Amino acid sequence: MDSNSDPPFHEAYKILFDKTRNNEENDFDNEFVVVEECELPVIDLSRLEESEEMVREECKSHIARASKDWGFFQVVNHGISTDIFSRLRCEQEKMFKQPFENKTKEDVFLNFSAGSYRWGTPTATCIRQLSWSEAFHIPLTDILGSTGSNPLCSTIEQFATTVSRLAHILADILAEKMGHKSTFFKENCLPDTCYLRLNRYPPCPSAFGIHGLMPHTDSDFLTILYQDQVGGLQLVKDKRWIAVKPNPEALIINIGDLFQAWSNGVYKSVEHRVVTNPKLERFSMAYFFCPSNETVIESCREPSVYRKFSFREYRQQVRDDVQKMGSKIGLPRFLAYDSS
């Protein structure tokens, strides 16, 4: 990358270091230690098309089991060609190679909504809260049906259309396995309520000891991730950080907070992060399966672990917590306590 392409990460780091060097601990991960690289459960989606019902049901059961036990899984035979992935990577690189000043004017430069481009952690108050990454967080309405011959938008639209169908299939399967065959996701998770996030993680000097993306859970129903083969994604499993082994043929699926609340805690929204690489840059693209802001989330079983809340209320609480404390609290804010 050209030097004028990168955000001012080093300057942000220096400011935070100078602010906190006297009281900031150097050990960022006292609680968890990475013990191994592992491959997530792999599910072959072509089995959903088999003529034998037993094979289809077994595949659905594997999806539900991985969502309970891991909160993460991989899918292969997902319907997206390697050609689309190759073009995605190429167009992402072109976009992120643009001068930093251009990227901050994304509404003019790329016809994306104002505020789509993000880098670092604007609310960071200490080094451990700084994310060494940049991204475009794009409402799907900025992409779908866009006019013109922009190859980036065209390629993203192909990707988004396919993963949108996949998200609905997976959500319906997970609902079915909870005993609910409903139209909830079809009615509430529409193209104009979902988002794409294009990520770039530049090389970071290893001595800095900071994250590419801070530990967090996702505030949606499902996230579908396409990543390159550099690696860096890690998740918490059995109170340990597990490094996810990249699979070039797979998409990664992870459960979000809304599905954990809706399933009454059956499906797990698991904390995950991205670690930096001192030499290689990493690219990924995430699709966030979200409802409208007015959608009310309530547990499908009683007694309910969580109180009812709207997606708007949830997002606002997350924003408030991040603004005040530098990090998200999430579902613990919405526990349903017994008032008796």
Side-chain angles (χ1 to χ4, degrees):
M1 301 289 285
D2 297 332
S3 59
N4 69 342
S5 297
D6 279 339
F9 290 116
H10 293 82
E11 290 86 342
Y13 177 89
K14 185 179 185 305
I15 290 170
L16 291 172
F17 180 82
D18 290 342
K19 280 183 178 179
T20 59
R21 58 183 169 183
N22 292 327
N23 54 20
E24 176 75 5
E25 294 182 6
N26 291 322
D27 183 6
F28 294 103
D29 293 300
N30 274 333
E31 292 184 51
F32 304 106
V33 176
V34 177
V35 293
E36 62 179 318
E37 182 182 56
C38 73
E39 189 167 4
L40 296 174
V42 179
I43 296 170
D44 182 354
L45 294 184
S46 67
R47 297 168 65 207
L48 293 174
E49 307 300 324
E50 291 285 344
S51 58
E52 293 186 29
E53 182 180 0
M54 184 175 69
V55 175
R56 298 196 303 272
E57 290 304 314
E58 185 180 52
C59 182
K60 294 178 182 180
S61 295
H62 286 168
I63 291 170
R65 189 178 310 122
S67 300
K68 295 175 185 177
D69 297 343
W70 284 81
F72 271 79
F73 56 93
Q74 302 177 94
V75 294
V76 295
N77 291 320
H78 40 65
I80 301 179
S81 69
T82 55
D83 175 62
I84 290 180
F85 287 146
S86 297
R87 285 189 281 124
L88 276 176
R89 172 61 185 265
C90 180
E91 294 302 328
Q92 270 189 278
E93 285 195 45
K94 288 180 185 177
M95 182 174 65
F96 282 112
K97 281 182 180 178
Q98 295 296 324
F100 176 64
E101 283 190 7
N102 284 1
K103 289 184 285 191
T104 60
K105 300 172 184 175
E106 73 283 6
D107 53 331
V108 176
F109 171 57
L110 290 167
N111 293 322
F112 292 157
S113 297
S116 296
Y117 179 69
R118 305 168 184 185
W119 69 274
T121 313
T123 57
T125 58
C126 59
I127 292 172
R128 71 164 65 228
Q129 294 173 353
L130 176 63
S131 291
W132 199 272
S133 58
E134 59 178 334
F136 286 90
H137 192 83
I138 311 164
L140 225 56
T141 48
D142 287 1
I143 299 295
L144 300 180
S146 58
T147 57
S149 57
N150 185 324
L152 171 66
C153 290
S154 174
T155 305
I156 293 177
E157 181 170 9
Q158 292 181 58
F159 174 79
T161 301
T162 305
V163 294
S164 178
R165 288 196 297 266
L166 175 58
H168 277 281
I169 290 171
L170 294 174
D172 287 344
I173 288 171
L174 290 171
E176 178 185 331
K177 286 299 176 180
M178 291 290 295
H180 291 265
K181 287 190 177 182
S182 71
T183 57
F184 177 85
F185 299 104
K186 183 178 180 180
E187 294 169 353
N188 292 289
C189 298
L190 306 173
D192 61 357
T193 67
C194 298
Y195 295 83
L196 282 171
R197 184 179 173 100
L198 283 63
N199 301 299
R200 174 182 174 254
Y201 302 89
C204 174
S206 57
F208 282 12
I210 59 178
H211 295 108
L213 195 61
M214 283 175 56
H216 66 286
T217 58
D218 289 351
S219 301
D220 59 356
F221 278 109
L222 291 170
T223 303
I224 301 179
L225 178 73
Y226 160 65
Q227 62 169 351
D228 62 20
Q229 300 308 298
V230 172
L233 176 64
Q234 299 180 351
L235 60 91
V236 174
K237 173 69 171 168
D238 300 325
K239 296 186 177 181
R240 295 177 176 177
W241 282 106
I242 301 294
V244 176
K245 183 178 180 181
N247 182 334
E249 298 179 356
L251 291 171
I252 293 178
I253 316 294
N254 71 274
I255 300 298
D257 297 343
L258 300 188
F259 231 135
Q260 178 167 320
W262 185 88
S263 68
N264 211 28
V266 173
Y267 302 135
K268 301 299 189 294
S269 180
V270 172
E271 189 175 31
H272 53 285
R273 66 184 181 186
V274 177
V275 297
T276 55
N277 188 300
K279 296 180 180 180
L280 301 174
E281 63 181 347
R282 175 181 182 265
F283 291 92
S284 68
M285 179 178 292
Y287 171 87
F288 297 99
F289 190 55
C290 301
S292 66
N293 283 332
E294 290 69 35
T295 301
V296 174
I297 311 300
E298 56 183 316
S299 299
C300 66
R301 289 181 178 175
E302 296 292 342
S304 178
V305 176
Y306 304 99
R307 66 176 176 84
K308 290 195 295 185
F309 57 87
S310 71
F311 188 41
R312 183 188 304 279
E313 180 184 2
Y314 192 76
R315 293 178 70 182
Q316 187 60 53
Q317 184 65 63
V318 169
R319 281 194 291 265
D320 290 347
D321 287 337
V322 170
Q323 192 68 39
K324 292 175 184 175
M325 290 168 280
S327 61
K328 169 185 170 181
I329 294 177
L331 284 177
R333 289 286 198 196
F334 294 85
L335 290 169
Y337 294 102
D338 186 358
S339 59
S340 61

